[in-house]
């Protein structure tokens, strides 16, 4: 977690479900224990991110373990020293905290890179990068561009790892500018949820699974997925199942 800040993870939870966002900020202990598959996914993302650092070698890591304030202060110090390359640059603006995978300073200005262990750029990746752009741009006005870096699925390993060809990058600057106002509005709404300090009244639904299965699934679904629940029926479209559930048909018998 990121203390009192709204982190990138917290914001994306808000986008998926206000209740999940509230739990994440106020009742983190309710979070489901991550599965082995999810832990492996996190590890793969971390490993790919570290590998991508070689695109801009010689940088300095701005992240100090799990100490957000110290990381922010250290990153600020590195920026003041005009450090050419910073990994995991921790930036804060208006109560929002992000960690930029790679922040590069050139004669033109700053260029930011968000690394993903995927071959495709999904909508959630775009939203993720737009939030980061919002924070970075307000912190570093001379930010020139923001890229999402993914695995190049056309790359063929020939015995010697070619880092530059292993990755490909795409600018999301147009997406970020188009969604700037949207990000501002959603952050205002997220802060309102925190200030109200009341668990949002959000029932279960397809949002529990999209774009990812919710970390608080066990809390919200407790007692719902019994042996006789309509949710135990296989090969049935989720739209049908939720229509049954919302109309009061909760057990298949």
């Amino acid at each position: 977690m990121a203390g009192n800040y709204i982190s990138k993870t917290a914001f994306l939870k808000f986008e998926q479900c206000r209740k999940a966002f509230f739990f994440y900020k106020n009742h983190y202990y309710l979070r489901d224990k991550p599965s082995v598959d999810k832990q492996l996914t996190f590890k793969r993302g971390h490993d790919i991110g570290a590998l991508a650092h070689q695109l801009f070698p010689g940088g300095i890591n701005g992240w100090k373990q799990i100490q957000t304030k110290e990381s922010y202060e250290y990153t600020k110090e590195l920026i003041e020293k005009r450090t050419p390359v910073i990994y995991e640059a921790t930036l804060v603006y208006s109560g929002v905290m992000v960690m930029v995978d790679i922040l590069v300073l050139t004669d033109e200005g700053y260029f930011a890179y968000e690394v993903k262990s995927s071959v495709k750029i999904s909508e959630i990746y775009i939203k993720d990068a737009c939030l980061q752009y919002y924070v970075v741009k307000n912190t570093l006005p001379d930010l020139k561009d923001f890229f999402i870096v993914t695995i190049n699925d056309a790359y063929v390993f020939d015995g010697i790892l070619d880092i530059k060809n292993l990755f490909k990058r795409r600018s999301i600057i147009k997406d970020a500018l188009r969604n700037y106002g949207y990000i501002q509005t959603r952050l205002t709404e997220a802060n309102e949820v925190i200030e109200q300090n009341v668990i949002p009244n959000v029932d279960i639904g397809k949002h529990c699974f999209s774009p990812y299965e919710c970390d608080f699934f066990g809390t919200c679904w407790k007692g719902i997925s019994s042996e006789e629940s309509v949710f135990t029926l296989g090969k049935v479209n989720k739209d049908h199942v939720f229509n049954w559930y919302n109309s009061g048909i909760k057990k298949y018998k």
Side-chain angles (χ1 to χ4, degrees):
M1 291 193 302
N4 294 323
Y5 298 115
I6 293 179
S7 64
K8 179 182 72 174
T9 300
F11 177 77
L12 294 178
K13 288 192 183 303
F14 178 78
E15 287 290 276
Q16 182 169 346
C17 174
R18 292 179 178 224
K19 183 185 284 187
F21 169 74
F22 183 87
F23 285 156
Y24 184 82
K25 293 296 296 177
N26 297 286
H27 302 286
Y28 191 75
Y29 62 91
L30 294 174
R31 186 169 176 255
D32 298 336
K33 182 179 179 180
S35 65
V36 173
D37 285 346
K38 189 170 287 188
Q39 291 180 53
L40 290 174
T41 298
F42 291 152
K43 184 180 184 304
R44 182 181 70 228
H46 177 78
D47 292 344
I48 293 297
L51 189 62
H53 289 174
Q54 295 180 39
L55 290 169
F56 303 94
I60 298 177
N61 198 317
W63 179 242
K64 294 287 188 180
Q65 298 299 324
I66 59 172
Q67 303 301 319
T68 302
K69 184 177 180 181
E70 286 79 355
S71 299
Y72 166 66
E73 294 295 340
Y74 185 49
T75 297
K76 185 177 179 182
E77 180 184 327
L78 292 174
I79 289 173
E80 289 173 351
K81 291 180 178 178
R82 298 188 65 78
T83 304
V85 180
I86 305 173
Y87 308 134
E88 306 299 335
T90 307
L91 302 173
V92 175
Y93 173 74
S94 191
V96 185
M97 185 274 291
V98 300
M99 287 186 294
V100 182
D101 287 333
I102 306 172
L103 186 63
V104 179
L105 175 62
T106 71
D107 292 338
E108 299 176 57
Y110 279 99
F111 292 80
Y113 301 84
E114 170 68 10
V115 183
K116 299 297 182 184
S117 58
S118 172
V119 297
K120 294 182 179 179
I121 296 178
S122 65
E123 182 180 344
I124 197 71
Y125 290 169
I126 296 290
K127 196 170 290 185
D128 171 332
C130 286
L131 174 70
Q132 292 191 65
Y133 174 88
Y134 174 81
V135 174
V136 178
K137 185 64 177 177
N138 280 289
T139 307
L140 302 171
D142 55 344
L143 175 68
K144 296 303 179 183
D145 210 338
F146 198 113
F147 296 87
I148 292 180
V149 178
T150 56
I151 300 294
N152 178 11
D153 57 354
Y155 173 70
V156 178
F157 179 65
D158 62 0
I160 299 176
L161 188 60
D162 185 342
I163 293 295
K164 288 188 176 181
N165 284 322
L166 173 63
F167 294 101
K168 58 184 179 181
R169 63 193 78 176
R170 171 189 150 184
S171 170
I172 56 90
I173 193 78
K174 292 182 179 178
D175 300 280
L177 293 173
R178 185 169 59 249
N179 288 287
Y180 192 89
Y182 172 82
I183 295 294
Q184 282 184 311
T185 299
R186 294 296 280 169
L187 286 172
T188 298
E189 293 171 353
N191 277 306
E192 288 174 355
V193 170
I194 294 174
E195 291 169 5
Q196 290 168 3
N197 199 27
V198 176
I199 299 176
N201 183 22
V202 181
D203 201 357
I204 62 171
K206 289 199 298 181
H207 59 270
C208 297
F209 306 94
S210 178
Y212 309 109
E213 183 172 305
C214 180
D215 290 342
F216 299 94
F217 191 90
T219 297
C220 294
W221 283 70
K222 189 175 182 179
I224 293 175
S225 296
S226 65
E227 291 183 0
E228 296 181 347
S229 169
V230 290
F231 292 105
T232 63
L233 294 172
K235 298 183 179 180
V236 180
N237 186 285
K238 277 191 173 64
D239 287 325
H240 294 317
V241 178
F242 278 111
N243 284 337
W244 294 335
Y245 178 81
N246 292 328
S247 63
I249 302 173
K250 300 182 179 181
K251 296 184 177 180
Y252 58 72
K253 69 178 181 180

